[in-house]
Amino acid sequence: MTNRETPATIGQRILALRRTAGMSQEALAAAVGVSRQALGKWEADQSLPGLDNLLALAEALHTSCDELLTGRPLSSEQPPAPSLSAEGMQALLDARETRETKRRRISLAAGGGVALVLAAALLCVGLYAGSRMDDLQNRIDGVNGQVAGMQGTLQAQVDSMTNRVQTMLDEQNSLAAGESHSYSEWESGSRTLLLTARVTAKQSVPGASARLIVTATYPTDTHSAVTLEMTDEGGGVFTVSGRVATADELTATFQLESPDGTVQNQQLWSDYAPHGQFEPIVELGGGIDGQLIRFETQNGQIRFDGDVGLSLGATEYAWPVEAEMQLEIGGQVVETFPIPELYKDFVPTEDSYTGDQAVFVGSTVTYFWTPQAHPWKADQSVIITARVVDSQGNVYERQMELIS
């Protein structure tokens, strides 16, 4: 039994459609006219694209704004067009409201204080004539509106000036005139990628040495860092190739050391979950709608009433080729559930023109299994293990402990 699921968030849908289109982050970012880091934040649901960027995304991905925002695919009669319906606009507004609610901070603004003072003054003046209270209230509302408008305009101008100044300072203090980097050779066992980078220093300093410090940030807000010594290619160009740990975010800092010992640093990039383009989805869970598998232990047996679900998904680089689930009681494997012919779900056809394999990317397939009844003792553990091998030979294991 299989069940295909649609990516749940706007970021996940952008990622899925990009992979389906066979585009890299750099290529899609260039087509939209934004930086690769901005696109990475959209795909990681850390920010939302503006309306102009949304239209450019839809055009570049040959889809509609509605599919990006709601997940509803185009019908066969509906040509792909970067249009936006009322439903799509509501989905975008809902997403923005959700994000703003998470980070909104309430503060008293100076302009608001001015409005209150003016309001109080007007009220005091109006006390001598009760018949003019309505007129005074209207004036108060008008002053409040004017102050709010002025405050918003001033804040926008201050933000713009701050951004310009910061950009100028960053350019003046920058060490690198340019950089390029890429990831390859994913290893699931060590959870590392091969990082290849090239950095051109803004000024060539004879005898200078350089290194790249790559910091990994994990979901628990912990960090680890690796320092990669760079090779001086001459003319201020430094290169490096080395393995780095994968995490929710990888941040690279370029460090340049002059012959006199002076050390300067500049952060070059932050990449969000770069291993996501290499690592297939492998999730072991219980049943449909997140309900865990049900079981009972009576008369020296364990009986199951419900499904164990193994969800698998492909990337453009790797897809599942072997998978099985095992039931282990008291340290012994008592039942195995193999999942044959995975290629039918992930590599269904060959392109008749190029001969290349077509891979389903951006969706998942869930396989369900209900174990049989087995003898069981009160002191025995009960564990379900899933083992998956991808097309690159990487092995993934997931476990679900029912009884410890």
Side-chain angles (χ1 to χ4, degrees), residues 15 56 63 100 141 189 199 203 206 234 249 283 289 297 328-329 336 339 342 362 368-369 385 400:
L15 174 63
T63 184
E100 289 302 318
D141 293 340
V199 180
Q203 294 182 346
E249 181 179 1
E283 297 177 352
D289 298 329
T297 55
E328 181 182 300
I329 299 178
T336 300
I339 304 174
L342 283 178
F368 297 107
W369 169 45
T385 301
M400 183 169 61

Side-chain angles (χ1 to χ4, degrees), residues 88-130:
M89 178 62 76
Q90 185 61 49
L92 179 60
L93 292 175
D94 290 345
R96 288 190 181 279
E97 179 63 23
T98 298
R99 177 167 177 79
E100 289 302 318
T101 300
K102 291 180 180 178
R103 65 180 184 178
R104 184 176 294 133
R105 298 291 184 271
I106 300 175
S107 61
L108 291 176
V114 173
L116 291 176
V117 172
L118 291 174
L122 288 173
L123 284 174
C124 291
V125 174
L127 289 177
Y128 80 96

Side-chain angles (χ1 to χ4, degrees), residues 378-383 401-404:
D379 61 346
Q380 290 181 321
S381 62
V382 179
I383 299 173
E401 190 172 39
L402 304 181
I403 300 177
S404 58

Side-chain angles (χ1 to χ4, degrees), residues 31 83 100 134 149 152 168 199 251 378 394:
S83 58
E100 289 302 318
D134 290 342
M168 292 174 61
V199 180
T251 302
N394 295 305

